[in-house]
Structures are given as structure tokens and as C-alpha cells.
Amino acid sequence: MRYDMPQLRCSVCGYIYDEEVGEPSTKTEQNTRFDELADDWRCPVCAAEKSAFSPVPTSLKSGPVLSMVWRCTVCNYRYSEETGEAATDTPPGTRFAELAEEWRCPVCGAARSAFMMVRKDAIAHEKSGKTVSDVIIDALLAYGIDLIFGLPGTSSLGLVDAIRKNGKVRYIVVRHEEAAAMAASAYNKLTGKIAVCLTIAGPGATNLATGLYDAKEDGASVLSLNGQVEMQYTGEYGMQEIDQDAFFRPITVYNNTLSDRKLTLLLLSRAIRYAKLRHGVAQLSIPNDIQKQLLDPAICKREIVIDEPVIIPDAASLKRAKEAIESAERPVVIAGFGAYNDAEAVLAFSEKIDASILTTYRAKGILAEDHPRVISVLGSVGSPQARTLVERADLIITFGVGFSKFTNVPTDTPIIQVDTNPVKLGIGQETIPLWGTCSETIPLLTGMVSQKIRPGLADEIAGMKQAWFDQLEREADPDAKPIRPPFIMKVLSETLPEDAVICLDVGENQWWFGRNFLMKHQRFTMSGYLGTMGFGFPAAIAAKLAYPDKQVVCITGDGGFSQAMADFVTAVKYDLPMVVIILNNRQLGMIQVEQLMEHYENFGTDLHNPDFAAYAEACGGAGIRVEQPCDLKGAVTQAVSMNRPVIVDLICDARRFV
């Protein structure tokens, strides 16, 4: 349909081109018909092509539908078409294109050409088919993050729907947010990769706290995305609203709330970078209304997420370390969790200087515990032989060791300490600190020192190991009833696959595992410094998602499992085969021991338990109850072979040695 001197509207931004008026900003003269414009003519507002224009049947004022704001790129002054500019006698309603050529910025004197349209970004966002939530989920995948644990709810629905639409992110819906955070923490401890926990504002966010504190204390990288109420409703007495920035501040290495959609990718990239490089929790709250806003990711600022840099100690410190090693007569190597991925390097170094190897609890299994150089864990769950070696050493060489009170490394002995965290260095007055990455520093030291042969050491270590193994064998009474934990650990050591992933809870099960279970080539994880009950089972869910082809085993107590048992249905729902070994002694056994040690009467530790095997069946899994020691090995073998979530309920003795 043809009109005399028609007007045409841009379908992208709403700008009106009037043939009678022309367009000053594109130097288009009055009475220029639209079809006479050059093919490369563009909308002066959004740069849309001519094909985006269509005629309008009514007379409208030419120009943008909305008043525009223009920003000076020199001084950041903003010119508003709506208000004009009194300083230059420019009346309200004056379009930027109508300003005289000699018009200058009233602040810095910059020419008109130095200005750019501020609202162009907003127009681009409205063109986008993606929401803030869509952009966040797409970005997570681009950063290699594809696993989210959580619960949906009102203030996170935009994010949850973005997961649904994306289709490439694994979303594991748990029954309690604490399990989501613990699973995310365990996933990083096992794989080094980041997982996300996602929940709602208020109670959902607060329920994450224990699991996130576990990640904080053990240096696990976790990203916590939390809904938040719409910004206009935040404040005291708001429904499901708390000050999440304040709540998460003590837990996190990065903590923020997204209040402007344009900052989405900038804040997300910072959160991931901080979580990776500072080995901790990054938290980002996204208000419900912002989750739904349209966003063009192409015009968002972002920062590069780099891998952790390799750190090499300075030459002077390496020289001091070499001299100390060369002069030592009774050196001992202690491998910590920081060296867990450097087993071969630790072994090569120990062989070069002819030294025995001890481990911290978290590094248990870095090398098979029947290896001729490995004595045992050092600490409260370790062998007396390990304590003898470390106490008589004239030099202790530690690789990635945390120096917890339970390991109790003698700090008055000369120490060579390798760690990536400079704050942890210098543990003792005679310590030689080596600020470096274990994977780089250990081979450097190996290449610097001379080959040592210490006559009689190999035989002495062999004798120590045999004495310790003989003691463990004596403790594993196959006839004692109720079943004794040392016998349970002996059977598990002999029965579980050598490449199994073991997830450990806190309590007596943890004490017996550290002391009596002999690692081969298994991998295990636990709650280290926080030591929180209920960690083992969520960790097993994470382990099975991380290693779907490996056997996953959760070793827990009746107290620890009871705190997480609601999520057994989660393992069933997502078809995550695993074996849950419950040491059911009807006691908070470790607390009972602590009361005994501090000369208190035993009180408040007895547990009234359900039939855990029957509970497994009710959830859709399998349950096996074991009361006789002679049935234990067969039950574990059966459970491992079943390829489904299985609970093995072991009725056992709560006592240690009395």
C-alpha cells in the first residue's frame, strides 16, 4: 500500500523515518523517498537494514519512539534528548541528530562524533531471545561446568527453566540443600572440576551452609548460584529474604549479587575464577526479576578464567633444601593431599634419597599401602611405627601437607615444606619454605640431590610394616559377635575393587577406615577439616556422576547416614549404582569414645534406628542385613555385583578395644 510521503517504522527499535522530513543524522535530505535511499543505508538508531522497515498508516513524529541518551566517550557526560541541556541552551525534546554541527560537550568540549547512544544496549537486549538465566547456563557450559545439584523454587525458577531449555547440563535434584553443597564439594575433591549448587533465597541458601563450609575448610572449588527475591521486595521481613551477601561472606572467596543484567558475565567469570584460583566457594545471588530479563551476551563484559599457574620455588630456597637433604641421615617424606596427583614423583624422590614415606589421612592411598616404602598414615589413626619414624627423623620433607593437629607433625624438627599457599609456609622455626607446585617442585628436588643408600633401612621398614600388619590381622577377629569393625575393614580391603571410589563419612567408621583399611589403587574422599557427619552419602552421589564406570562405595555410620538418608531415593531416581556400607552400632560411637577419654558418663549417644535394609527396598533400591561375621564377605560381594543402589546394614560392635 502506497502513501503520499509515507512514514516507515524500524521493526527492531521503532524508529520512524519520514520521507518528508528526511534524516539529518544520515545527511538524508527532505523529501527523499525511502526506496531512493542507498542500499547500505541503515537505521540511525539501531543500524538495522532497510529490509527491517515497513510503512505505517498513520502520521507519526519522525525519529526514535523513545527519547535517547547519548554518552560522551571522553568524560562520560550524558546528553538526554528528553531534558535537553541548559548549559548549551538546548531545549527539552531536542534530538541529538538535530544538534548543530558545532555543538560541543558542555563538560569537556568534545565534538558530537565522540558521543555514543546509551540506550543502544537496551535495544539489543530486547532483540535477544535469551534471558539472563539462559546466558548464565550457556556460559557455565562454555567454562566446562556441566553438573548442578540443587532444588527448584520460586526465586530460582528462571535459572531452572534455563537448565531445562539448555538440555546439556546435568541437573540433580536432591532432597536437602545441604546434600547439594556436600556433593559439589566432593565432586571437586575427587576430580578437580567445579560443580554448582543451585537453590532459592532464604532457607534454601542457609541450608547450603554446612556443605559450603566443608568446601571452604578443605579448599574445594565450588560455585553456589542462589535465587534472590525481586529487588523491590528485599529488606527486613521480606518473604524468604535474607541478606545473602552478609550470610555468605564468611564462607566465600567471592560473593556478590547481580543487580544489573549487563554485569552477568563479568560477575560469573569472576566467581569461577576466584573459586578456581583461591580454592574455595564463590557465591552469586540472582534476583528473580533479573533472571527473566532479556540479555544479549555479545555486549556483556567478561574476564578470562585462567588455569592455576605453576609455581616454582626460588633458586636460593631450592639450594638450601638441597643442602639440608644432602646432610640428613634420617630423612622422612610426608605426602599430603596437595601431592595426591603426584604419586610417582613422590616415590621417585623417596627412592633417590632412600627415605620412607608417610601420608596424611587425606593422602591415604596416594601409593598402595603395601608398597615397601610406605609405612602408614601419620596421626591419630596411624601406626605407632609411623610415629617412631617421624619422631626420630633429623629432617622431615612435606609435600602439600596441611599440618592438622590430628596428623601432629613435629614442628621443632627441621622441615622442608612444599606448598602452593605461601600463608601456610614456615610452620616451624627451622623450616625451609618452598613456595611451589608439587608437580614441578618434587622433580626439581629429585634432580638436584645425589643418590643415597641407607644400609639396613629397607629391612627395618619391612619389619615395621610386618609388625603393623600382624597387629591389624590379630584385631580382625572373624568369630567375634557382634561383628567387630577391624574385621569389617579387613573384609572390605580384600573385597572391594582395586579401582573403586570410596566416600567416607565422619565417625567411628572414619577412624577404623583410616587405621585398618589397606588401600590399593582406590580413590577416596572425606570431610577433612570441618569433619561433618552426613558427608559420605552425598559424596557418593557426586562420585558416581564423576566416575560412572567405577564402583562407588560409601562407608558410613548409622549416625552419619541418618543425616543424609533422604537422598538415597536420589540415587535410585537417577539410576546411580553404588554400595552403602553402614556400620550400624546403634551409637554415636565416636562421641561415646570422647566421653570415655574425658571421663564423662556415657549419655545421649544411643540411636534408635530403622531397618536400613528395609528402607533401601522401600526407596526402590536393594537392602542386605548382616548380623553374622561369616555372612559379611558374601554380602559385600553380592552388593558389588548388583549394579543398583544397595545398602548393606552391618550390625556391629560399638566398642573399640574394651
Side-chain angles (χ1 to χ4, degrees), residues 59-113:
S59 179
L60 299 173
K61 181 180 179 181
S62 65
V65 175
L66 300 173
S67 296
M68 294 292 152
V69 176
W70 297 75
R71 179 175 64 85
C72 176
T73 58
V74 177
C75 70
N76 213 35
Y77 160 82
R78 282 168 166 74
Y79 172 77
S80 170
E81 293 180 346
E82 182 178 358
T83 61
E85 177 51 68
T88 59
D89 296 323
T90 306
T94 304
R95 292 174 53 206
F96 188 79
E98 296 170 349
L99 296 174
E101 289 292 334
E102 63 271 16
W103 187 91
R104 293 290 185 270
C105 172
V107 175
C108 71
R112 287 178 55 197
S113 58

Side-chain angles (χ1 to χ4, degrees), residues 406-429:
F406 295 106
T407 306
N408 193 21
V409 178
T411 56
D412 53 350
T413 301
I415 296 174
I416 295 174
Q417 183 186 3
V418 179
D419 207 296
T420 55
N421 186 346
V423 176
K424 292 183 178 180
L425 292 171
I427 195 69
Q429 292 186 356

Side-chain angles (χ1 to χ4, degrees), residues 21 80 183 231 468 511 518 568:
V21 176
S80 170
M231 293 302 290
W468 177 236
W511 194 85
L518 299 179
F568 188 76

Side-chain angles (χ1 to χ4, degrees), residues 117-131:
M117 188 183 300
V118 173
R119 289 190 177 173
K120 186 175 181 180
D121 287 357
I123 294 167
H125 292 322
E126 299 309 316
K127 289 168 55 181
S128 175
K130 291 182 178 292
T131 65

Side-chain angles (χ1 to χ4, degrees), residues 55 75 179 220 310 318 342 365 369 386 399 458 506 524 547 554 563-564 589 641:
C75 70
V310 171
L318 285 169
D342 303 300
E369 292 189 280
F399 299 133
V506 170
F524 94 103
Y547 305 106
C554 170
Q563 293 195 2
S641 69

Side-chain angles (χ1 to χ4, degrees), residues 337-368:
F337 187 72
Y340 204 93
N341 296 320
D342 303 300
E344 294 304 317
V346 172
L347 180 59
F349 174 78
S350 300
E351 290 177 338
K352 185 76 173 288
I353 68 169
D354 198 10
S356 57
I357 302 173
L358 314 178
T359 76
T360 63
Y361 196 151
R362 290 187 70 199
K364 180 180 171 71
I366 182 175
L367 292 163

